[in-house]
Each structure stands twice: as C-alpha cells, then as structure tokens.
Amino acid sequence: MDFNSSSPYPEGVISFLDTDLYKLTMQCAVLKYYKDVPVTYSFTNRTPEKKLSRKAFHWLEEQIRKLGNISLSAEEHQYLKTHCPYLTPAYLEFLQEFRLRPRDQVALKFSPIGDNTGAETDIGDVDIKISGTWADTILYEIPLLALTSEAYFKFMDPDWTYDGQEDKAFEKGIRLLEAGCVFSEFGTRRRRDYHTQALVFRGLTKASKEAEKRGFTGKLSGTSNVHLAMRFDIPPVGTVAHEWFMGTAAITGDYTVSTEEALCRWVGCFGEGVLGIALTDTFGTPEFLKAFSKPIRHLGEPTPQSHRKPSMADSFISAISALKNTPKADKTYADVFTGVRQDSGDPKNFVKLMRKFYDEQGIQDKKVIVFSDSLNIERCLEYKQVSEDAGFQPTFGVGTFFTNDFIHTKTGTKSTPLNIVIKLSSAAGRPAIKISDNIGKNTGDKETVEEVKRQLGYVEKVWEEGDESARWGREDDIAGK
C-alpha cells in the first residue's frame, strides 16, 4: 500500500483505523464493561491565540459530518484480527457494524471575535462538545483533533510545503537510532495532515533500514496510527490513555479505589502482561502507585491470546515471560505490567520515583519506561541516559516533533503546532477529571479537581518546562534555534 509523495492522500479522515491504537483497545474494554454509560467530551485549545476563520470552521464542520460515512473494510478487519489478537472477537464483530453519528453526537460552535459580519473571513473561537454512550463516542477524539489541526494549517497558516518532510524525519530517525533509542511515532492528534504523517513515517522506516545496515542499536518500534501501521504492514503500538482511568473514576464515584478498579478491569479484559504499559499520572503518580502495588484482583478468566506476527517492540516488552520463569504468589499489578508511561511533570524525578517504588516492591525484572511528553531528540537522549543509569529500559513515543515540524516559507520562522486536547468531561452523569503531575495539565470541572486533590492528599507540582502554551516554540522563533 505505497503512496506517491507528490499525490497527497485525500483530505480529512476516511478510516476508523486513522487513529491511535489505544482508542481501539479502550473501546474494546468499554464495550465489555461500560458499553451503555452516557459520557460527554470537551475541547480545549491551550494555544488560544490560534483561531479559525468562518471558512475554516465550515470546512471542519463538513469533515466531521463525513465521519458518519466511515465503516470498517474487510481488509481492515482482517488486519486487526491478524495483528491485534488482544482485540476480542466480540469487539471486532461490533466494529464491523459500528458507525459514528456526528449529527447526533457532535455539537460545533463558532464564536466570532469582534464584529460578527457573517463573512467567511470572520475570525473566532471554536467549541466542540461530544455526547452519547461511551462505546459509541470514544473514537471521536483523535479524528476531531487531527481535523482541527488540518483546518488551521489549511486556512489560517498555509505558508508551508511538504518539501523535505520525509528527509527531515529520516535525519531525526537516524540520530535517535544511532544513539540507541527505541522509539515509536505518536503524532496523529496534532499532525499537519495525514499526508504529512505518512511522509514522516516513511522517512522513519527508511532510517530504520539504514540503521540496521550501519549496525546501530536503536529500534523503530512502530507507530500508534493503526492505518499507517496497516499500510506499512507492521503491528501498531500503544496501550491505554487517561480516559480509561478518568471514566472509571467518574463511574465508581470513589477516587480512592478507582485506579485499582481501572487496572483490574484492564487486566480482566486483556489478560496479565498484555498491553502492559501503565499510564501513571491521571490523578498523580503517587496515588497511582498505591493501586499499582496491590495484588491483582481477578474478575474472571483473561482473554485467550492467539498467535500474532512479532513486533520490534516484543524484543524489550517481555515482563510477562520473565514472570513465568520466576513464579510469585499474590502477583501485583506492578509485577505483571511491563512498565509505565511518563506523560507529565519532571521526567528525571519520575525515574527516581519509579526506581524507589520497584525497589521497595522487591521487583527485580527490568521494567520499561515510555516517555511521551513533548519530546525532541535532546530530551530523548537525556531521558535515555537517566533511565538506563537507574536500570530501566527507556522507550519514546514521539509525536508532534515528527508530524508538525514546519517553517514558514517566506520568513524561515517556525510554524508552530496547535496545542489542543479533547478530554472526557463526564461519565454516568458525574464530572470526569484529570490532575496529572503538572498543574498545567489539570483538566475538567474545577470544583471536582480541587475536591479530589483534597480527598487524595495530592501535593501540587509545577514543572518549569511544563508551559502548555509554548510546548513546541513560538511563532517568532527562528527555525533551528
């Protein structure tokens, strides 16, 4: 399924697989445990100076409407069945018949700034709200974010070209691979458009092949974008997002037990050691570790695992095979999960915290830390050294740095990405929130956020490099500086 770099892929989103893997794995778990729970989602623009014109808004509106035309193809179904055997037969059957209903489930609003002339050139803010059952609406997040970014760079900041994107990705890949980094591409949600992401991933795969020839020790473990993984005939990578913990907490209504409940049901859906990278920061890493250290609570038999084509990631994600060689009574979640993902706060402090935790738990297996918060090459190399010194296997999920790294053709200044998110805002009629390890990433109803912080004894953290308004530079920065 090759493509010609001079013939861009059709605009917008045209496949359910054009999303991050963890949206499918979470939809699978939601279908099993929380299928009919009513939920809502809200949109936040952390770069509010970046607005849309009415013309851009109308394009976005039309692209979202077209999502209702998507269905799973026979080829896509077979790919998921072959490469993602952890997705249950019941889920794959559900997905074959699944349709989005944006007219009923998505509410879009354009609010002009200044005079509302009704002209296509009016500039304004966009608000997006999603509502429906959790199983029916969980797939909206990634396409809507990708489409919003595409709208902005199609209409508001069009002074860029695709020229050099594949080569730039190749060069970045070579630097990471030569340094021995294991990394994957995580850039769907804030990409410039699909074609950019495809060019980037082709550049990365070329770098991977070149690195093998040169004997570099690094590895490209894949992409979180399932559609691109299918095009390049590799398994996709990814596990779980904050949404799973946020929704479970809102449904249970008890934040002191909700994290363990979320871990329990994840293992109950997929089995021990499967999709085993745990995201720690939804309600702060210290609170997560309390649940992570508990013995596994079984709800039933784990899903049987079928044969699948090996992934590069299998070479370092091996916690469950190690456990089979070292039997342990009352295994904890920390025992059976391959490792953890760091997504907010100070990464170096996180490494120290996790080393202390595993040592106190008596866990000697070499665990994985996946770093995924606003990475670039320098940060990957720094965190790699810190992690290896502490006895971890570091891996990196690199997103926006790969898929939205452009300069203005006229001035040579950075064309900076939007920092936009869509988060679960309620489940079962209760607010859904996220606290994280950095105050800049607090999300959701403010009163609930403060109440949960008090309830959990949360200690506020501010990371000096965690400015969410300028994660990837500013418009007046000179490229390369």
Side-chain angles (χ1 to χ4, degrees):
M1 300 183 67
D2 200 6
F3 64 95
N4 186 321
S5 61
S6 64
S7 302
Y9 195 73
E11 64 181 7
V13 173
I14 63 172
S15 169
F16 284 143
L17 301 197
D18 186 11
T19 192
D20 288 332
L21 175 65
Y22 65 35
K23 297 303 290 191
L24 302 185
T25 58
M26 288 191 298
Q27 190 182 39
C28 180
V30 166
L31 183 70
K32 181 170 183 175
Y33 294 117
Y34 302 122
K35 179 177 184 292
D36 296 319
V37 172
V39 300
T40 59
Y41 296 80
S42 297
F43 170 83
T44 300
N45 182 0
R46 293 170 176 164
T47 43
E49 73 281 2
K50 295 180 181 293
K51 305 180 188 298
L52 294 186
S53 65
R54 195 183 300 275
K55 183 177 182 180
F57 175 78
H58 285 158
W59 179 89
L60 175 62
E61 199 172 36
E62 176 64 12
Q63 294 302 320
I64 292 174
R65 184 192 65 77
K66 289 179 180 179
L67 296 177
N69 301 330
I70 296 174
S71 61
L72 192 73
S73 71
E75 180 187 16
E76 291 170 337
H77 177 265
Q78 185 57 47
Y79 172 82
L80 293 177
K81 188 176 179 181
T82 301
H83 290 273
C84 307
Y86 38 80
L87 297 176
T88 64
Y91 172 66
L92 293 179
E93 183 178 346
F94 166 83
L95 198 59
Q96 280 185 295
E97 303 300 324
F98 180 72
R99 301 291 186 277
L100 293 169
R101 304 190 312 278
R103 292 185 185 277
D104 302 325
Q105 297 163 333
V106 182
L108 284 155
K109 182 181 179 181
F110 178 74
S111 299
I113 303 300
D115 293 337
N116 183 3
T117 69
E120 290 285 83
T121 53
D122 284 352
I123 304 298
D125 294 316
V126 172
D127 185 53
I128 305 173
K129 296 196 182 304
I130 304 162
S131 61
T133 66
W134 202 358
D136 285 346
T137 57
I138 193 171
L139 294 190
Y140 276 115
E141 176 195 359
I142 306 301
L144 265 58
L145 290 172
L147 289 170
T148 302
S149 179
E150 185 172 350
Y152 182 83
F153 291 104
K154 185 179 183 71
F155 295 95
M156 309 308 296
D157 182 5
D159 182 26
W160 55 273
T161 73
Y162 295 111
D163 294 348
Q165 281 295 305
E166 186 176 332
D167 291 340
K168 185 184 290 188
F170 176 87
E171 292 167 5
K172 290 175 180 177
I174 285 293
R175 286 187 62 190
L176 290 169
L177 294 163
E178 185 175 15
C181 292
V182 178
F183 68 95
S184 56
E185 183 274 309
F186 268 27
T188 304
R189 66 184 57 224
R190 298 187 187 104
R191 70 192 184 194
R192 195 135 300 202
D193 56 16
Y194 180 93
H195 187 60
T196 298
Q197 191 175 12
L199 288 172
V200 163
F201 195 68
R202 187 162 71 173
L204 294 175
T205 58
K206 287 182 177 179
S208 179
K209 292 175 182 177
E210 179 64 23
E212 288 183 26
K213 293 179 184 177
R214 300 189 197 178
F216 294 164
T217 57
K219 294 289 183 183
L220 173 64
S221 58
T223 174
S224 63
N225 185 291
V226 186
H227 194 265
L228 281 175
M230 183 178 74
R231 289 180 67 177
F232 285 86
D233 193 32
I234 60 173
V237 296
T239 53
V240 69
H242 298 103
E243 180 180 352
W244 177 248
F245 295 92
M246 294 168 68
T248 302
I251 292 165
T252 64
D254 185 347
Y255 283 78
T256 64
V257 301
S258 63
T259 297
E260 191 277 335
E261 185 72 18
L263 291 169
C264 173
R265 292 182 182 270
W266 193 257
V267 172
C269 185
F270 299 110
E272 296 180 11
V274 181
L275 299 172
I277 297 294
L279 183 58
T280 69
D281 68 333
T282 309
F283 308 119
T285 295
E287 181 63 25
F288 174 85
L289 295 180
K290 294 176 186 176
F292 208 40
S293 65
K294 292 181 179 179
I296 295 172
R297 179 167 53 91
H298 292 285
L299 296 173
E301 292 297 319
T303 303
Q305 297 302 298
S306 58
H307 175 73
R308 68 180 174 88
K309 182 178 179 180
S311 161
M312 287 183 187
D314 293 332
S315 63
F316 61 88
I317 297 182
S318 57
I320 194 61
S321 60
L323 277 172
K324 290 175 182 176
N325 296 328
T326 56
K328 177 181 176 182
D330 297 326
K331 289 180 293 186
T332 67
Y333 297 104
D335 283 315
V336 303
F337 273 77
T338 305
V340 292
R341 177 157 73 96
Q342 192 275 337
D343 195 53
S344 66
D346 187 331
K348 289 176 282 189
N349 285 344
F350 180 85
V351 171
K352 294 176 185 176
L353 179 62
M354 292 310 305
R355 182 69 277 153
K356 182 174 182 289
F357 170 80
Y358 282 122
D359 288 347
E360 290 175 347
Q361 296 295 308
I363 295 174
Q364 299 179 353
D365 300 326
K366 190 170 187 176
K367 295 292 187 177
V368 174
I369 296 182
V370 180
F371 296 92
S372 60
D373 186 20
S374 304
L375 298 175
N376 56 30
I377 291 173
E378 290 71 26
R379 287 174 175 167
C380 288
L381 300 186
E382 180 182 5
Y383 305 158
K384 177 179 184 291
Q385 186 65 55
V386 171
S387 300
E388 289 177 344
D389 288 347
F392 291 106
Q393 166 65 64
T395 71
F396 304 92
V398 185
T400 309
F401 176 67
F402 281 151
T403 61
N404 207 326
D405 185 11
F406 287 80
I407 61 170
H408 294 119
T409 57
K410 295 177 181 177
T411 64
T413 56
K414 287 183 179 180
S415 174
T416 57
L418 282 76
N419 188 349
I420 50 178
V421 296
I422 290 175
K423 292 294 183 183
L424 193 70
S425 53
S426 74
R430 300 186 188 93
I433 64 157
K434 177 171 76 81
I435 297 175
S436 84
D437 289 331
N438 176 25
I439 192 171
K441 287 193 170 186
N442 287 185
T443 302
D445 178 72
K446 291 182 179 179
E447 288 186 8
T448 304
V449 168
E450 293 308 314
E451 174 57 33
V452 172
K453 285 181 179 180
R454 286 191 294 270
Q455 189 180 49
L456 300 180
Y458 177 84
V459 178
E460 201 68 73
K461 299 176 183 66
V462 178
W463 181 40
E464 61 182 16
E465 296 183 42
D467 179 2
E468 290 300 318
S469 66
R471 298 313 299 268
W472 302 284
R474 301 186 185 278
E475 288 293 327
D476 56 355
D477 290 342
I478 301 298
K481 297 296 185 182

